[in-house]
């Protein structure tokens, strides 16, 4: 018997957590489902109570999706941080530079298929 278990959602098969346990009955709640063994959360799913490796293509697509989410979150933060630059009391020449920068941020993921190729512009 393994000292490791991996809990999962029985409706989706998605893995939730890996645990090193000596007495799993003491650590698991009665509603938790698990498989014995140590499985990477983003590389396996559970089908009919058995761990199944997810295809490399799906793993890579999930990593790419997560990377784009992180890029968009960073972009949104930079846009929020520079909102003040669009107020009426900013000199026109500086406002134009900030407007251009902000547009580059908005376009940062346009026509990009590889998130590793994205470079954020420098603020003016």
């Amino acid at each position: 018997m393994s000292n490791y278990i991996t809990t999962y959602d029985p409706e989706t098969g998605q893995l939730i957590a890996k645990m090193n346990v000596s007495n799993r009955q003491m650590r698991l709640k009665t509603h938790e489902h698990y498989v014995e063994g140590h499985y990477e959360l983003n590389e396996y799913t559970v089908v009919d109570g058995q761990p199944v490796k997810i295809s490399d293509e799906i793993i890579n697509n999930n990593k790419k999706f997560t990377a784009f989410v992180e890029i968009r979150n960073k972009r949104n933060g930079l846009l929020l941080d520079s909102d003040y630059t669009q107020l009426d009391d900013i000199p026109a020449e500086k406002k134009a530079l900030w407007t251009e920068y902000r547009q580059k941020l908005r376009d940062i993921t346009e026509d990009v298929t590889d998130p590793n190729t994205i470079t954020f512009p420098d603020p003016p």
Side-chain angles (χ1 to χ4, degrees):
M1 180 162 30
S2 173
N3 284 339
Y4 292 95
I5 60 168
T6 305
T7 60
Y8 68 94
D9 179 335
E11 292 183 23
T12 64
Q14 182 177 3
L15 301 186
I16 299 170
K18 302 178 287 187
M19 292 183 230
N20 182 0
V21 294
S22 56
N23 183 349
R24 68 176 160 265
Q25 298 303 324
M26 297 288 288
R27 299 229 180 165
L28 287 175
K29 298 175 186 144
T30 57
H31 67 277
E32 289 186 290
H33 292 76
Y34 66 91
V35 291
E36 288 194 17
H38 186 266
Y39 298 96
E40 292 301 320
L41 302 183
N42 296 323
E43 295 180 13
Y44 285 83
T45 188
V46 175
V47 177
D48 295 328
Q50 298 298 315
V52 176
K53 181 145 177 49
I54 299 171
S55 75
D56 289 340
E57 180 182 2
I58 291 173
I59 291 169
N60 289 335
N61 286 342
N62 288 344
K63 287 178 181 178
K64 192 184 286 188
F65 176 81
T66 300
F68 275 116
V69 167
E70 290 170 358
I71 288 165
R72 287 185 181 104
N73 286 341
K74 179 177 178 179
R75 183 259 329 260
N76 292 345
L78 292 170
L79 284 169
L80 187 62
D81 289 346
S82 63
D83 276 351
Y84 75 94
T85 66
Q86 302 306 294
L87 296 173
D88 291 335
D89 62 345
I90 301 292
E93 59 278 354
K94 285 190 178 188
K95 188 173 186 174
L97 292 173
W98 280 101
T99 299
E100 181 181 341
Y101 164 77
R102 289 166 56 84
Q103 188 59 53
K104 286 179 184 177
L105 287 175
R106 286 188 194 91
D107 296 340
I108 202 159
T109 59
E110 191 172 305
D111 299 325
V112 176
T113 58
D114 183 358
N116 297 315
T117 62
I118 292 179
T119 304
F120 280 85
D122 292 326

